[in-house]
Amino acid sequence: MHKDNIDTAMLAEAGAWRSRDLAVLWHPCTQMAEHPDTLPLIPIRRGRGVWLEGVDGRQYLDAVSSWWTNLFGHGEPRIAAAIARQANELEHVIFAGFSHEPALQLAEKLLALAPPGLARVFYADNGSAAVEVALKMSFHSFLNRGDARRKKFVALSNGYHGETLGALSMADIPLYRRVYAPLLLEPLFAPSPDAYESEAGESAEACALRRADQLAAIFAQHDGEICALILEPLVQCAGGMRMHHPAYLRRAREICNAHGAHLIADEIAVGFGRTGTMFACEQAAVTPDFLCLSKGLTGGFLPMSAVLTTAAVYEAFLDESRDRAFLHSHSYTGNPLGCAAALASLAIFESEPVLERNRSTALRMAALATPLREHPHVAEVRQTGMILAIELVADKRSRSAYPAGERRGLRAYRRALEDGVVLRPLGDILYWMPPYCIDEGALQHLARATLAAVQEATG
Ligand SMILES: *Cc1c(COP(=O)(O)O)cnc(C)c1O
């Protein structure tokens, strides 16, 4: 068949798919009225490595790891095979009163990898659910110890912890929070240590320490009332890939200790090597009381999450009374397929020098971003490990933002798609968070497409 005929057939198929989709589906984080005119809807047939193949036959480079879930590329054969093997043995079993090898092995492996001092693993089925678990466990553990005064949480400005009501309560991103505010818990918000907000001449570390002093003041004012501080270590991802110095985490740990409160590290987005270390907390040599993991946990294959906590928290629930037990449950808790995927993903970390390879990939990302850094409408290119962000502004010197209504980021998104690159900007902040298997050719393609997208969006 002539090539043009194939392309026409594929385009027709993609068109038909789109109409069926728009007739019945409701997509997440989307104003559906913008489909299909403002936003193209892209049906995907398969994924291999960093590439997604559209039904229309086009290839798309997944520069955002499909919402930060994918670690080793789409279709990673070892993870796919592990899931298939497990599906033939045991697809699922009630996890109350029953157990299985994949859940046990995964818990042992996670505890061995995590910062020292964590001793228990509680499974849930997505990131928001993990945050709910940590919040409830923290509160309940104090209650079980006879401390009923602790009912408050502290969260950071510009933070994000998911979209269920409890998790959303801890978020400070107006786009997600504002509408539902009347339904939400009200945490105490401490100012973010975001280095982008540092004062003229102030180092990232000094900025972090100044913000930590403000955090200490909040704890002092509410001494004995606070269950936990929840934060995203090193990178506030949904908040625009804003980054902070690890000194903040060290101080936050000290402040929580001084006030007998818990530290909840939400590493749902930054865990599993994204920031250069297996877990971001390692860069501050800090052990949280709760470590929330999801997204990359299964290598991007299946929804699953885990909350790691300490023996002290666990022991607060041991009693003859049922009320003192943690009665929280999700039907798919400890799903064997998810556990098998996670074990296969962790096996890749064991058999290959993943973090070491990422260090050289991160250096290439930095080098290829040089022309972006120099662009007159780029305020800053910042990077923590395998996360690189490009902040577009109207004026480079004053760092004044573009009016939101101009939707510069959306323009960049559409331009990059024309070049076969999926960049899904956060407002006017573009970022690269690619699967770890991205090679030099794909990196160069990504850098070229990003520069073109920045030029188009700011032109
Ligand atoms: C994505 C994310 C969540 C929520 O995870 P879901 O699986 O989408 O519910 C929570 N916290 C952080 C930091 C995240 O990036």
Side-chain angles (χ1 to χ4, degrees):
M1 214 197 300
H2 191 268
K3 182 162 185 307
D4 286 347
N5 292 341
I6 300 175
D7 288 352
T8 316
M10 283 176 155
L11 282 178
E13 191 186 343
W17 191 327
R18 252 180 225 117
S19 340
R20 282 173 53 209
D21 183 298
L22 293 175
V24 295
L25 286 175
W26 193 340
H27 291 271
C29 204
T30 300
Q31 171 47 270
M32 291 300 291
E34 292 184 349
H35 278 314
D37 298 334
T38 313
L39 266 179
L41 179 72
I42 305 165
I44 296 297
R45 189 191 305 280
R46 65 203 297 270
R48 284 295 175 272
V50 297
W51 297 99
L52 296 167
E53 184 189 312
V55 169
D56 61 4
R58 295 191 62 200
Q59 300 281 327
Y60 298 91
L61 198 171
D62 186 356
V64 300
S65 294
S66 281
W67 261 345
W68 326 336
T69 57
N70 192 287
L71 298 188
F72 299 111
H74 293 279
E76 211 300 320
R78 289 164 288 186
I79 303 177
I83 295 170
R85 262 197 314 275
Q86 185 59 45
N88 282 308
E89 287 301 319
L90 174 67
E91 77 301 329
H92 188 61
V93 60
I94 175 174
F95 205 58
F98 294 83
S99 192
H100 52 80
E101 184 65 26
L104 175 56
Q105 263 189 39
L106 180 59
E108 289 171 346
K109 284 220 152 55
L110 289 173
L111 292 174
L113 280 170
L118 295 167
R120 289 279 159 180
V121 178
F122 190 96
Y123 292 118
D125 43 22
N126 62 67
S128 305
V131 170
E132 301 285 342
V133 165
L135 297 173
K136 286 174 71 180
M137 258 185 196
S138 172
F139 164 79
H140 197 168
S141 71
F142 286 115
L143 196 66
N144 282 350
R145 298 253 187 234
D147 187 349
R149 269 188 75 219
R150 291 185 193 264
K151 296 192 271 276
K152 290 191 159 74
F153 291 93
V154 182
L156 300 187
S157 63
N158 196 45
Y160 176 88
H161 301 284
E163 314 255 352
T164 55
L165 292 176
L168 184 61
S169 294
M170 301 299 134
D172 175 48
I173 299 176
L175 180 65
Y176 307 122
R177 185 188 176 91
R178 196 175 35 222
V179 175
Y180 305 103
L183 306 182
L184 302 180
L185 302 171
E186 288 185 4
L188 303 159
F189 282 110
S192 169
D194 182 359
Y196 189 77
E197 292 181 353
S198 55
E199 289 167 356
E202 188 183 43
S203 69
E205 183 171 13
C207 172
L209 294 172
R210 176 166 57 85
R211 295 306 204 185
D213 288 343
Q214 291 169 290
L215 177 70
I218 291 173
F219 269 82
Q221 206 182 339
H222 296 274
D223 189 33
E225 300 168 21
I226 295 168
C227 296
L229 164 66
I230 181 167
L231 49 72
E232 299 160 87
L234 298 188
V235 187
Q236 292 187 306
C237 292
M241 302 298 163
R242 293 293 184 84
M243 300 173 184
H244 57 260
H245 194 278
Y248 186 81
L249 303 176
R250 280 192 291 275
R251 284 286 292 128
R253 177 71 273 186
E254 288 163 11
I255 293 164
C256 288
N257 287 349
H259 292 272
H262 292 139
L263 175 63
I264 303 174
D266 177 351
E267 294 220 19
I268 289 163
V270 298
F272 301 104
R274 251 347 140 175
T275 65
T277 45
M278 194 64 174
F279 299 110
C281 281
E282 291 169 35
Q283 296 184 39
V286 152
T287 298
D289 300 279
F290 298 91
L291 178 63
C292 298
L293 303 173
S294 188
K295 294 199 168 124
L297 173 60
T298 60
F301 273 68
L302 285 165
M304 166 146 202
S305 61
V307 179
L308 278 55
T309 190
T310 62
V313 167
Y314 175 73
E315 280 156 17
F317 290 81
L318 297 181
D319 191 86
E320 276 157 27
S321 152
R322 261 208 120 188
D323 284 352
R324 293 194 170 215
F326 191 61
L327 297 184
H328 185 108
S329 63
H330 295 288
S331 311
Y332 280 96
T333 299
N335 177 249
L337 302 179
C339 293
L343 284 167
S345 177
L346 291 180
I348 297 175
F349 280 100
E350 280 171 18
S351 63
E352 294 177 13
V354 175
L355 298 178
E356 204 177 303
R357 226 167 32 208
N358 282 359
R359 273 194 277 283
S360 36
T361 307
L363 287 174
R364 283 302 295 148
M365 284 163 61
L368 287 165
T370 303
L372 292 162
R373 205 171 272 116
E374 289 156 3
H375 191 278
H377 288 287
V378 171
E380 172 179 90
V381 172
R382 54 182 171 266
Q383 185 177 13
T384 300
M386 291 292 288
I387 307 172
L388 183 144
I390 303 134
E391 180 121 5
L392 303 185
V393 286
D395 183 66
K396 192 170 179 120
R397 191 161 312 150
S398 69
R399 290 187 161 185
S400 55
Y402 284 109
E406 292 180 6
R407 305 191 72 179
R408 304 277 177 161
L410 179 64
R411 282 197 229 170
Y413 174 70
R414 293 166 54 164
R415 179 65 176 82
L417 278 181
E418 285 171 25
D419 286 333
V421 170
V422 182
L423 289 177
R424 198 186 148 94
L426 298 153
D428 292 342
I429 297 155
L430 313 189
Y431 65 91
W432 299 344
M433 204 200 274
Y436 301 163
C437 60
I438 191 164
D439 64 15
E440 176 64 21
L443 275 173
Q444 288 186 14
H445 181 64
L446 172 58
R448 270 193 308 272
T450 307
L451 186 58
V454 168
Q455 264 150 3
E456 168 112 354
T458 60

